Amino acid sequence: MSVEIRDIPAQAAAPGVAVPAENALPADRPWWRAMPRAALVPLTVLLPLVTLAPTADHRFNLYWHGGDFRAHPLRQLAEPFRTVPIYLDFGNFRPLGRLVERAVDVAAYLLMEILHLPANIALRVVSLLAAVVLTAAAMLLSESITARGRLFREPPSPLTVLVPYGVGAALVAAGATSTTVLFGGLYFLSAALVLGVAAACCRAVSADGHALRAVPAVAAVLSGAALAAFNEIAYLALPLAAVAVVARGRLVLGLDRRSLLRDRATRLVGLLWLGFLPVFVPVRWLIARACDTGDCYRGSDVALGPDLGLAWVHRMAAWLPPVQWQEAARGADGSWAIGLLPALALVTLALLARGTWADLRGWRVDRRAALAVAVSAGAVLVLGAVMAAANGDTQAAAVAGRWGLGWRDSGLAAAAGVPALLGLVLALAKWRHTPVALLALLVLAGAGSAAANGTYAADSAGRQSSVVNNAIAHEVAVFDRTPAGNTRRCALRAEFRVLYPDLPYSRFARAEVPGTATPTERLEVTIDMATRQLYGRPFCAPDQP
């Protein structure tokens, strides 16, 4: 048994689809220009953060995961699955997500090892690449919903070419818990997975066309089970796929209810759910039992309190760039980093937008397709906000009035919120220059986000904790074997101990790195793993002359 993945030929396009002007460029050339923007726009906006100091678990995990993988690669591959019972006891089930998290850290570690990049820069490079993947996935989802023919055979829709500018503008360092700052590689890739699954389901249509490949039913069921074993963000892939398939079928393809129920895309979504639920339901039941005592990992604990509604409103607005700017500038004494980098960002985005304007010229918007994107992306934005609002930390932030504060849903919220808003505006607007006006606004928003990121980076760089963590990263990357180098490293370790003397250290953290009871001990163990693997020496040898 299999599910055929088909695409409707271009000739089947219904009236109202975007039609090129007589002097339009060949179909392949707009895509050659559009796809690089998925890379260049987020890189431009995020560039001011490239030297941002590692914080939270990033201070330890790169050295831990990278050093342990290089020394024991097979053990690292098996570790996320071996520790499933331990993490379930803490209210957490993400074996595949942890495997990806370790892969992200290993990639940064290899950059440090091969290029001698400090860990902070290596982490940001990997995060930047993950942001590019997320932006490309957002474009792919938009085009998968709107295109009636085969993907990439026709020029992208106006909505699709605007998506990179919107997603890039929403990538703001909105506080220490934003995915733009913390765990960017993992959660950008998690959000890209959600969008990619929905895009793949949207292309599984039953209309006449050439069968590209067959998806065995067993593979579809196993894929659903894998999503349940990834992380909480990946849970949203199936609701998004279900809504996107229905919206595309009814609004874009014009299928009636009976035809939609028989559609292979609907069948594929059903098979994914069939694999997802038998894993998701018992796991959430086990987590609910384990968390009855209230001693679970706060990042994945569910708090259904009276502040849930307020937190949901905050999460629904948190992805908007202007709302995030105020959080990025918090603590900067009102002074924004209006300098060379934001100016370069504005010039770069304006140059990219010039080519986009040429692509938009002569194309009209398919309103029903734009509405289908708005409905699909809006659904996952709403559900993602509900998931984030159920966390105790986001509820506390909402009560404190922290509008725009980022959390682990920030990447997905940006990639869903932007197409939802653009799709709604394009579906309702009657002014023919609306796409060009939106492009201008998004360019200005992107430059503003680059300035906000520069502000956050400048404020963060002035903190002593950032100075120490960046100095440790530099010493690991460029290891000085002389007594003077050892003295510097020992001094940095002592300074870290002063900065983080008696911080809470949960049983969750103790179980992750056995034998540690404080952040200082965790640092000492993990950086020693890295330097012993790289150089055959401990980070600090107190008895060295």
Side-chain angles (χ1 to χ4, degrees), residues 446-518:
S449 294
N453 287 338
T455 301
Y456 183 89
D459 178 65
S460 175
R463 302 169 192 164
Q464 187 60 23
S465 58
S466 296
V467 174
V468 171
N469 288 318
N470 275 350
I472 290 173
H474 176 78
E475 291 290 343
V476 174
V478 186
F479 196 83
D480 184 356
R481 299 174 184 269
T482 67
N486 184 69
T487 300
R488 284 198 311 274
R489 292 191 295 274
C490 291
L492 285 171
R493 195 175 72 169
E495 194 166 356
F496 187 93
R497 185 180 294 114
V498 172
L499 283 171
Y500 307 101
D502 298 312
L503 288 182
Y505 199 71
S506 66
R507 65 187 185 98
F508 183 82
R510 289 189 180 93
E512 281 193 319
V513 185
T516 63
T518 65

Side-chain angles (χ1 to χ4, degrees), residues 295-307:
D295 191 23
C296 275
Y297 171 58
R298 287 180 60 85
S300 58
D301 200 4
V302 175
L304 302 178
D307 301 319

Side-chain angles (χ1 to χ4, degrees), residues 46-333:
L46 293 173
L47 185 61
L49 301 174
V50 74
T51 60
L52 201 64
T55 58
D57 285 353
H58 280 166
R59 295 169 297 170
F60 320 109
N61 286 4
L62 185 147
Y63 310 121
W64 169 29
H65 294 153
D68 200 22
F69 177 84
R70 295 287 282 122
H72 310 283
L74 294 180
R75 185 175 73 187
Q76 274 293 304
L77 292 174
E79 193 71 5
F81 304 97
R82 185 191 67 81
T83 55
V84 163
I86 297 174
Y87 284 111
L88 270 177
D89 185 50
F90 299 135
N92 193 286
F93 180 72
R94 309 169 184 167
L96 294 180
R98 292 191 185 282
L99 191 63
V100 172
E101 178 186 354
R102 288 167 184 261
V104 167
D105 289 339
V106 169
Y109 184 90
L110 292 176
L111 286 177
M112 182 181 69
E113 179 180 358
I114 297 170
L115 302 178
H116 296 286
L117 287 177
N120 58 320
I121 296 178
L123 278 169
R124 297 304 155 193
V125 170
V126 173
S127 181
L128 289 177
L129 295 176
V132 171
V133 174
L134 173 61
T135 308
M139 291 181 67
L140 179 65
L141 176 62
S142 171
E143 193 65 15
S144 294
I145 294 174
T146 59
R148 290 178 169 84
R150 288 198 191 178
L151 288 179
F152 312 122
R153 291 292 182 90
E154 298 175 355
S157 69
L159 175 55
T160 299
V161 299
L162 289 173
V163 163
Y165 297 93
V167 174
L171 298 177
V172 181
T177 55
S178 170
T179 50
T180 308
V181 176
L182 186 65
F183 294 119
L186 170 63
Y187 284 112
F188 287 157
L189 293 178
S190 300
L193 174 64
V194 171
L195 304 182
V197 169
C201 290
C202 283
R203 305 314 296 178
V205 298
S206 60
D208 291 338
H210 176 67
L212 299 179
R213 60 189 180 276
V215 178
V218 173
V221 171
L222 291 177
S223 297
L227 290 170
F230 200 88
N231 59 23
E232 290 83 354
I233 294 297
Y235 293 169
L236 297 172
L238 296 189
L240 173 59
V243 175
V245 164
V246 172
R248 171 176 160 79
R250 297 303 296 268
L251 295 174
V252 180
L253 303 180
L255 300 177
D256 58 31
R257 186 176 303 175
R258 180 174 297 179
S259 298
L260 185 62
L261 289 175
R262 293 198 306 263
D263 193 272
R264 289 186 177 89
T266 308
R267 182 184 175 200
L268 177 59
V269 173
L271 290 171
L272 289 173
W273 278 104
L274 187 62
F276 178 85
L277 291 175
V279 177
F280 173 81
V281 172
V283 162
R284 298 316 300 184
W285 179 76
L286 289 172
I287 288 175
R289 288 191 58 187
C291 295
D292 279 344
T293 60
D295 191 23
C296 275
Y297 171 58
R298 287 180 60 85
S300 58
D301 200 4
V302 175
L304 302 178
D307 301 319
L308 180 64
L310 178 62
W312 179 79
V313 174
H314 273 245
R315 300 320 304 165
M316 283 293 293
W319 64 273
L320 293 167
V323 180
Q324 294 186 84
W325 294 345
Q326 64 176 350
E327 187 60 38
R330 185 183 295 273
D333 300 326

